[in-house]
Amino acid sequence: MTEQQPYTVLGQYPGFELRHYPAHVLAQVTVNAGFQRAGNAGFRHLFAYITGRNTSPAETDTAGTAGTSLAMTAPVLLEPSPVPGAFTVAFVLPAAAGPAPIPEDPAVSIVAVPGQAAAAASFSGRWSEANFQSHLAELLAAVSAEGFTTLGRPRFARFDPPFRPWFLRRNEVVQSVEGPGD
């Protein structure tokens, strides 16, 4: 079974679940592609990274060493980039991976993310921009109604492989927040 990004449920609210995500490490790439194409364009770079197109931090002085394979995790995250028309696609690295291997592809970066509170709403269906925007609007309205303040950009989380029938897919829209009592 695919390892999933861990979180702790802090509370249930109308329209969303409040979660705490512990500190984690992402392998990410920003691609200049529309919403529909960004996932596939970014996935290629990230899949190459986790299947060995990298160098162990301990091997940086050793030429010709094989890269480290990392387990695939879920979800694949898609986030609008500050660059218009671009999106950042990210994999959460497995918790047991230790220090992240160094990417050979300069497009791939490794980012440490501090622990954070986030509002998350799950839904099934197609991976479309219209579906994401619709669920995002509902989430933002629910978050605001409960007195939380949004932080940063929203994330679209894809949990299932593309061959899974659309009506069985688990998706989430996730928004970092701070709220009443923080």
Side-chain angles (χ1 to χ4, degrees):
M1 186 165 165
T2 302
E3 179 181 336
Q4 293 193 10
Q5 181 180 17
Y7 59 84
T8 302
V9 176
L10 301 175
Q12 297 285 342
Y13 294 84
F16 68 96
E17 185 171 77
L18 182 62
R19 300 175 178 170
H20 178 266
Y21 289 93
H24 55 280
V25 177
L26 299 175
Q28 67 181 32
V29 62
T30 298
V31 293
N32 287 317
F35 185 93
Q36 294 300 123
R37 291 188 46 246
N40 287 339
F43 185 88
R44 288 187 203 107
H45 292 275
L46 297 171
F47 187 75
Y49 170 75
I50 67 167
T51 57
R53 193 164 173 224
N54 61 59
T55 306
S56 169
E59 298 172 347
T60 55
D61 296 330
T62 308
T65 58
T68 302
S69 290
L70 302 169
M72 178 74 190
T73 62
V76 174
L77 301 170
L78 181 66
E79 179 179 307
S81 168
V83 177
F87 289 86
T88 299
V89 182
F91 289 172
V92 178
L93 296 185
I102 299 163
E104 290 179 4
D105 181 346
V108 176
S109 59
I110 305 302
V111 178
V113 180
Q116 58 190 275
S122 297
F123 61 96
S124 61
R126 298 188 189 282
W127 297 326
S128 70
E129 186 168 14
N131 209 3
F132 173 69
Q133 292 298 339
S134 170
H135 287 90
L136 175 60
E138 292 172 9
L139 176 64
L140 294 178
V143 163
S144 178
E146 294 296 329
F148 290 90
T149 303
T150 61
L151 302 171
R153 292 180 298 280
R155 302 177 294 283
F156 182 43
R158 300 176 177 186
F159 286 83
D160 298 306
F163 54 81
R164 170 106 5 120
W166 65 270
F167 55 90
L168 296 176
R169 291 180 184 164
R170 175 181 169 206
N171 306 303
E172 292 182 347
V173 61
V174 182
Q175 175 66 61
S176 295
V177 296
E178 63 182 4
D182 282 352

